[in-house]
Amino acid sequence: MPVAVVVGMQWGDEGKGKIIDLLSEEADIVARYQGGHNAGHTICFDDKQFVLHLIPSGIFHPGKLCVIGNGVVIDPAALVEEMEQLKEAGVDLEAQLVLSDRANIILPYHSTSDKSRESESRFQKIGTTGRGIGPSYADKIARVGIRTCDFLDESRLRELYQANYREKKQILKNLYDIDLPDFEAMFQELMKFREVILKFIKNTHTLLREAIAENKKILCEGAQGTMLDVDHGTYPYVTSSNSTAGGACTGLGIPPTSINRVVGVIKAYTTRVGEGPFPTELNDGDGEKLRDEGHEFGATTGRPRRCGWFDVVLARYAVAVNGIDAIVLTKIDVLDKFATIKVCTGYKYKGQVYDEMPADLDCLENCEPVYAEFEGWMANTVGITSYDELPEKAKQYIEKLSGLVGVKFLMISTGPARKHTICLGSLF
Ligand code: IMP
């Protein structure tokens, strides 16, 4: 039963899209298990670039089935837009895409509520993508959400939507003085999307469990990263789902005992978008250089990403929480022009050095990183495909990181395209 989970180890944007696209070659099924169109998975091949938000990153491999699991929150408008782009690119969606019948959907009042809350100074700003992710998951947990299976019965869908609409209308009016559009107009718009989506809705639980029984290779795709996980991340500055490996079980209906590999994806430095603590953040020339060299701007919102050095405390925490047994190191080429490279090995706070991730935000916000320094290789590594061809000092950096984190590297990414990769092992 070859089932592998691929997770982000930092605050998202580790380059999972490229890696999942590559690893998909080895899989029969690629299944996304959480998040929504807050994610932006960038894939480059044949001199083209695609940014996927909802559809799994295996979609560009004909014959691979792509599953959107029950743990994902689906905005029908965003999904239909993405489907149209892929159809234009020649993807046979009917042969390759299925949606869980148990996924909750995002409706226009969710993004209105998300954006309104974020723009009011009386509420704590998280720096969300404004896509309605938090409010939609909140409805799911409050047991008032609308699911994809509700699309099957039009009158039930109307009933559920109307009940929710009435409640949200009052809340939005009272809290933010916002008027929702007329219900009938909103419902008819949803019906247009329903028309497109309906035939893709399936019982993906059964499909995945049957695939496991048939020994098919399943790659579970996580979005965001460990530090954005609602339980294990830098709460409350997190997203609203379980982006860690456990989310693959709840978000796909795959039993934990079926998972036999967890791959972590981590950048050779650290970035985050939105608010929240970031111990190794650099507010100096090195931070700007990382942003420029790494083109660190959000794939979904275009926001500049905050940049900083590699954090071993965070990486080890991600290994522990996810049970990571192989790591993919990305964007090593971004460090090509740094004469000195730093790596954080501990957080110094109130006279104590922490080598384990603290829950306390005050510690994370005010600690002083303890750094180990490395001499940079100051040479071009873009596009290198063989480990032996890397500069000696780059190899030393990579080996030191692997030793500090305690896990071997499966791949090293040296550029955005599929071919810019050093493969050191196979997924299954
Ligand atoms: P939300 O997921 O839109 O509610 O945003 C919550 C936090 O997660 C914000 O800091 C976002 O910037 C961050 N976030 C959400 N999705 C991603 C992603 O795919 N990459 C990086 N950060 C993300």
Side-chain angles (χ1 to χ4, degrees), residues 11-13 38-40 126-130 133-134 224 228 238-239 273-274 303:
W11 280 283
D13 308 320
N38 49 351
I126 304 293
T128 72
T129 59
I133 306 296
Q224 290 85 44
L228 286 174
V238 291
T239 191
V273 268
R303 291 179 289 178

Side-chain angles (χ1 to χ4, degrees), residues 3-70:
V3 181
V5 183
V6 176
V7 290
M9 293 175 68
Q10 295 157 319
W11 280 283
D13 308 320
E14 299 90 353
K16 294 181 294 298
K18 167 186 162 167
I19 301 307
I20 294 163
D21 167 59
L22 266 180
L23 293 174
S24 298
E25 278 174 23
E26 292 183 53
D28 298 301
I29 299 177
V30 183
R32 167 87 182 266
Y33 61 82
Q34 45 71 234
H37 65 312
N38 49 351
H41 292 172
T42 307
I43 299 173
C44 304
F45 61 95
D46 298 343
D47 297 325
K48 283 179 282 195
Q49 178 176 302
F50 293 90
V51 182
L52 297 171
H53 300 286
L54 273 166
I55 294 178
S57 304
I59 200 74
F60 295 109
H61 295 267
K64 312 282 174 179
L65 185 68
C66 289
V67 177
I68 298 185
N70 59 281

Side-chain angles (χ1 to χ4, degrees), residues 191-233:
M191 291 301 282
K192 273 196 312 204
F193 300 131
R194 170 185 179 262
E195 192 76 21
V196 182
I197 292 171
L198 205 53
K199 60 172 173 281
F200 293 91
I201 300 171
K202 301 262 155 60
N203 178 346
T204 55
H205 276 59
T206 306
L207 183 153
L208 287 169
R209 283 198 293 266
E210 280 173 3
I212 292 171
E214 289 164 20
N215 224 24
K216 293 229 170 98
K217 294 186 177 118
I218 302 173
L219 175 53
C220 308
E221 172 175 5
Q224 290 85 44
T226 301
M227 301 312 293
L228 286 174
D229 182 287
V230 68
D231 282 282
H232 306 291

